[in-house]
Amino acid sequence: MIVYEATVSEFVQEVLHDTITDNVYAKYQEHFGHSSEGQIRSWRNSLEYMYKVLMTPTIPSDAGVAIEFNIPMTAKRIDFMISGFDEMNMKSAVIVELKQWDECRKVENKDGVVITRLNGAERQTTHPSYQAYSYKESLTNFSEPVQQDPINLHPCAYLHNYKIEKYPDVIDDQYKYYLEQAPVFASGDVEKLRGFIRKYVCRGDKGALLYEISDGKVRPSKMLQDTLGSMLDGNEEFVMIDDQKLVYEEALSLANEVQNSPDKKVMIVTGGPGTGKTVISINLLVELTKRGMLAQYTTKNSAPREVYFEKLKGTKREMSPKLLFKSSGCYVDSGNNELDVIIADEAHRLNAKSGMFKNKGENQIKEIIHASRLSVFFIDESQRVTTSDIGSEDEIVKFAKEQNAEIIEMKLESQFRCNGSDGYLAWLDNMLDIRPTANTDFDFDYDFRIFDDPNELRHAIIDQNGNNKARIVAGYCWNWITKGKNDSNVSDINIDQYNFHMTWNLSNTTTWSIDENSIDQCGCIHTCQGLEFDYVGVIIGDDLRYENGQLITDASKRAHTDKSLNGLGKMAKEDSEGAERLADEIIRNTYRTLMTRGMKGCYIYCTDQKLSQYIKTKMQG
């Protein structure tokens, strides 16, 4: 979909007559409603600069121009495109990512990320060259006209206010790959950008190519299908076993059925920790894409998406199927059956509202079902760990029925984490007083230990980290100090009586669980849920204690920087008992989740000595 289209000459005339911003805004309103003052100001400023670039007889006056070109399967839009034919008479289009930035700084240890001032504050965002490059990749991977005609795409970024000599970080060597794919043009580079456009648009097309792309069929390219398949081949981490295979085959069968039917289907797969929900999800994503279907893997938390994307692509930087890994909040504006299949992993973490301020959409479950012919929800209700988690079987069933979808339910029983020990999970549920179980005996083949000194726990986990698969995590009882978010020398977690000091995981990476130096940082529920390690060390804070012969939870001991219990105070005014029950459930579920991240072992330290003694007693049977 194109918000505004014209030829170069028409665009130039509209800028000359000061009507371009009003016309773009009018078209934008037709499609999306009102826009912000910042967006309108951005059009006004940036389009004036593009006028300077295109106001030359060397660029064909009948070349096509598109402003706010919507990329299929996303809410992303390309700022500016120019289409035509190159010197070999091949179909060609130039993608221009427009920025009003004055400066930016590089971010170490993150691929394609910079820091700049956005919306009144310094924020991390993707490098402009990466953005332009990713738009090209998205169209190449999913637009049939681009794949088959073919239409050659040439991305670049234009930072018209930016003085590179003053802030050279934007062209730092760490961004070399993306700069080669999509060069940056800055203040004073009008002639250079003209030359770039002239190189690829030598003859006009009157905008025909832009419509060809916009109206063309959306499907995964053969290259993407083949590459994804090769990424999974031989990767033992994604091999399915037992009932995982049954769920996988059933989901594939349902996906085939919905291709030739107007009816929706909703599949709900329940399973505890370590039953292979994510393994099935990734296998489904790859196989459905190989079959030419439009499929996406979605989670609320970014950590599982980023980690499994990295594991899947390996070192193949040039093949980046990131468009297949989406946030659960991205379906707010999706059309009905826009996708063939959406795979919602960690569905217990889904929210009602989306967006940074939780003010977009109605319900993520409803939106996922609406956007897909088949939606597959993988869920474990015992892993709901915040007040905003609304994912439950009942909620999924309710919205499925509202949309007249057929409901298919399956359960994963086989346990592959915690050394495959169902006995450990049963003992853990009993010990945490989550639910009574028949198995209360500490008799299972799993390395579970409790330490009286957190330093001893840390040393034991470091000893197990030979293959970078051991991590320390903690309950969110210590504030995440702002000035230490990117500084490992700042200690967030301090247990002074043992001279124990540790930093929370740094914010300059989204793949903490697999980063080489993460053993020196402590993860929390938000960075490890949905992931697994060989060994996990868990620090239990004062929000879980043992008093007067009972295991108690205490929400007041949670850190102020933790948002898991947001809204609890308001809820308590209306229903104090309900609020207390919810907080209790969240805290117990949090520790259950943390204590089931380890494949081979789980090591514990408790800040409350009585709790430590209670667990030792439970270990004795």
Side-chain angles (χ1 to χ4, degrees):
M1 186 264 290
I2 305 171
V3 170
Y4 170 94
E5 61 83 23
T7 62
V8 166
S9 63
E10 290 167 341
F11 168 75
V12 166
Q13 286 301 309
E14 290 203 45
V15 177
L16 276 172
H17 292 95
D18 295 324
T19 59
I20 187 66
T21 302
D22 291 340
N23 289 342
V24 171
Y25 183 38
K27 294 289 186 182
Y28 185 92
Q29 283 181 299
E30 288 179 19
H31 297 292
F32 303 108
H34 292 291
S35 182
S36 67
E37 284 298 321
Q39 176 65 77
I40 295 169
R41 196 162 48 246
S42 174
W43 286 326
R44 184 174 295 114
N45 295 337
S46 292
L47 296 182
E48 290 279 353
Y49 279 94
M50 285 307 301
Y51 161 78
K52 292 179 183 179
V53 173
L54 297 180
M55 187 61 182
T56 173
T58 61
I59 294 176
S61 62
D62 61 344
V65 166
I67 298 172
E68 301 291 346
F69 183 104
N70 186 236
I71 301 171
M73 294 175 61
T74 78
K76 299 294 185 181
R77 294 185 297 276
I78 295 171
D79 292 333
F80 206 96
M81 290 182 73
I82 306 107
S83 64
F85 299 88
D86 63 19
E87 57 188 9
M88 303 296 294
N89 209 34
M90 298 290 291
K91 295 178 178 180
S92 182
V94 173
I95 293 169
V96 185
E97 174 64 18
L98 295 167
K99 295 293 185 192
Q100 297 191 77
W101 297 1
D102 295 309
E103 62 178 285
C104 76
R105 301 194 314 275
K106 62 185 177 183
V107 177
E108 304 283 0
N109 304 318
K110 273 194 177 182
D111 183 43
V113 176
V114 294
I115 292 177
T116 192
R117 194 162 186 82
L118 295 172
N119 300 321
E122 285 201 338
R123 305 178 192 276
Q124 292 188 15
T125 188
T126 48
H127 189 285
S129 291
Y130 175 86
Q131 280 186 261
Y133 156 78
S134 70
Y135 296 159
K136 174 202 167 182
E137 288 295 295
S138 297
L139 289 174
T140 302
N141 287 332
F142 291 98
S143 170
E144 196 169 71
V146 172
Q147 299 158 18
Q148 293 185 352
D149 281 348
I151 301 171
N152 296 316
L153 303 176
H154 308 280
C156 66
Y158 185 25
L159 285 63
H160 46 76
N161 297 331
Y162 199 101
K163 304 286 187 182
I164 286 182
E165 61 275 12
K166 189 174 182 181
Y167 298 105
D169 275 14
V170 75
I171 57 169
D172 189 82
D173 278 350
Q174 76 176 63
Y175 306 114
K176 182 179 178 181
Y177 177 80
Y178 300 117
L179 290 164
E180 289 173 347
Q181 307 304 311
V184 162
F185 299 97
S187 176
D189 286 345
V190 167
E191 281 297 333
K192 290 181 181 178
L193 180 52
R194 279 179 180 172
F196 183 81
I197 296 170
R198 277 197 303 266
K199 182 178 179 181
Y200 301 114
V201 180
C202 303
R203 185 167 65 84
D205 68 325
K206 298 181 180 176
L209 297 184
L210 298 172
Y211 274 108
E212 195 176 328
I213 300 171
S214 178
D215 296 341
K217 186 176 180 180
V218 180
R219 66 185 299 274
S221 69
K222 183 66 166 60
M223 181 182 293
L224 178 62
Q225 296 172 39
D226 292 345
T227 305
L228 274 178
S230 68
M231 289 174 179
L232 209 57
D233 288 344
N235 194 329
E236 295 182 2
E237 188 168 351
F238 296 107
V239 174
M240 294 176 292
I241 305 173
D242 297 346
D243 49 5
Q244 297 173 1
K245 178 69 169 171
L246 298 178
V247 170
Y248 169 79
E249 292 295 339
E250 178 66 16
L252 290 180
S253 176
L254 294 172
N256 287 331
E257 290 176 15
V258 297
Q259 297 303 296
N260 303 308
S261 169
D263 299 327
K264 288 181 179 290
K265 295 182 187 292
V266 172
M267 184 177 186
I268 306 171
V269 183
T270 58
T275 48
K277 299 184 291 296
T278 300
V279 169
I280 304 168
S281 297
I282 299 300
N283 274 280
L284 280 174
L285 177 69
V286 171
E287 182 59 30
L288 291 167
T289 304
K290 284 169 63 179
R291 295 185 182 190
M293 298 184 199
L294 294 177
Q296 289 181 342
Y297 169 93
T298 186
T299 60
K300 171 192 170 182
N301 270 22
S302 62
R305 294 196 308 272
E306 296 291 337
V307 168
Y308 285 106
F309 166 69
E310 288 296 322
K311 287 183 177 183
L312 192 61
K313 82 178 182 68
T315 59
K316 298 179 181 179
R317 192 180 196 179
E318 70 282 359
M319 182 63 236
S320 179
K322 204 159 192 175
L323 197 62
L324 303 176
F325 293 78
K326 306 295 288 185
S327 162
S328 58
C330 76
Y331 302 104
V332 172
D333 298 315
S334 295
N336 185 46
N337 293 343
E338 192 170 288
L339 293 150
D340 294 317
V341 184
I342 296 177
I343 304 155
D345 199 6
E346 301 286 308
H348 38 271
R349 298 298 322 278
L350 294 174
N351 292 168
K353 299 285 187 177
S354 299
M356 183 181 296
F357 303 106
K358 298 289 189 291
N359 60 349
K360 293 184 178 180
E362 180 183 345
N363 185 286
Q364 290 181 355
I365 296 172
K366 179 179 180 179
E367 290 152 8
I368 288 170
I369 295 172
H370 174 74
S372 57
R373 299 176 186 276
L374 168 66
S375 46
V376 184
F377 294 91
F378 289 91
I379 189 166
D380 176 5
E381 292 187 26
S382 294
Q383 290 195 53
R384 293 167 62 188
V385 295
T386 78
T387 53
S388 59
D389 293 351
I390 54 92
S392 69
E393 291 181 71
D394 289 345
E395 283 289 288
I396 297 169
V397 168
K398 181 184 80 172
F399 286 114
K401 288 181 177 178
E402 280 186 10
Q403 299 186 53
N404 299 313
E406 179 186 351
I407 301 167
I408 302 93
E409 298 186 67
M410 295 188 76
K411 188 170 185 178
L412 291 164
E413 301 279 4
S414 300
Q415 164 62 232
F416 298 97
R417 198 180 290 155
C418 306
N419 230 16
S421 176
D422 292 318
Y424 172 67
L425 294 181
W427 176 84
L428 187 61
D429 283 348
N430 192 284
M431 185 274 288
L432 290 172
D433 202 16
I434 289 175
R435 63 178 63 83
T437 61
N439 187 354
T440 61
D441 294 334
F442 190 81
D443 183 19
F444 36 78
D445 183 20
Y446 185 64
D447 188 4
F448 183 88
R449 307 183 206 175
I450 188 158
F451 292 83
D452 295 326
D453 184 330
N455 293 295
E456 293 177 1
L457 177 144
R458 175 159 52 187
H459 293 148
I461 289 295
I462 290 172
D463 286 345
Q464 300 288 8
N465 193 45
N467 57 0
N468 196 38
K469 287 190 175 181
R471 292 291 182 269
I472 297 173
V473 299
Y476 212 150
C477 297
W478 292 268
N479 285 320
W480 197 18
I481 301 170
T482 301
K483 66 179 181 179
K485 288 185 176 182
N486 295 317
D487 185 354
S488 59
N489 295 314
V490 175
S491 296
D492 304 291
I493 301 168
N494 298 293
I495 305 174
D496 293 332
Q497 68 193 90
Y498 293 102
N499 195 28
F500 178 87
H501 307 286
M502 204 166 186
T503 184
W504 283 119
N505 56 277
L506 304 183
S507 65
N508 61 4
T509 178
T510 53
T511 51
W512 165 85
S513 72
I514 57 175
D515 291 343
E516 287 293 332
N517 297 321
S518 292
I519 191 66
D520 299 321
Q521 304 159 25
C522 187
C524 68
I525 187 65
H526 308 303
T527 47
C528 74
Q529 190 169 19
L531 303 170
E532 62 186 25
F533 318 105
D534 281 352
Y535 288 85
V536 64
V538 181
I539 299 173
I540 300 178
D542 285 345
D543 58 344
L544 185 67
R545 303 193 301 275
Y546 192 74
E547 293 180 3
N548 302 319
Q550 287 186 314
L551 193 68
I552 69 160
T553 59
D554 186 349
S556 70
K557 299 300 182 181
R558 281 290 183 99
H560 300 308
T561 51
D562 179 31
K563 307 301 181 186
S564 301
L565 301 178
N566 272 12
L568 206 63
K570 181 180 178 181
M571 180 181 176
K573 293 177 182 178
E574 302 168 1
D575 179 9
S576 60
E577 290 185 4
E580 189 174 334
R581 281 196 304 272
L582 179 59
D584 181 78
E585 177 187 353
I586 287 171
I587 292 171
R588 292 177 197 267
N589 282 353
T590 296
Y591 283 114
R592 179 184 188 266
T593 302
L594 294 178
M595 294 169 72
T596 53
R597 297 306 90 193
M599 296 279 286
K600 300 177 181 178
C602 174
Y603 301 164
I604 303 293
Y605 167 77
C606 307
T607 57
D608 177 43
Q609 292 184 0
K610 291 180 180 178
L611 175 60
S612 181
Q613 189 56 47
Y614 161 76
I615 297 174
K616 289 176 182 178
T617 301
K618 287 288 186 180
M619 292 170 67
Q620 295 169 2

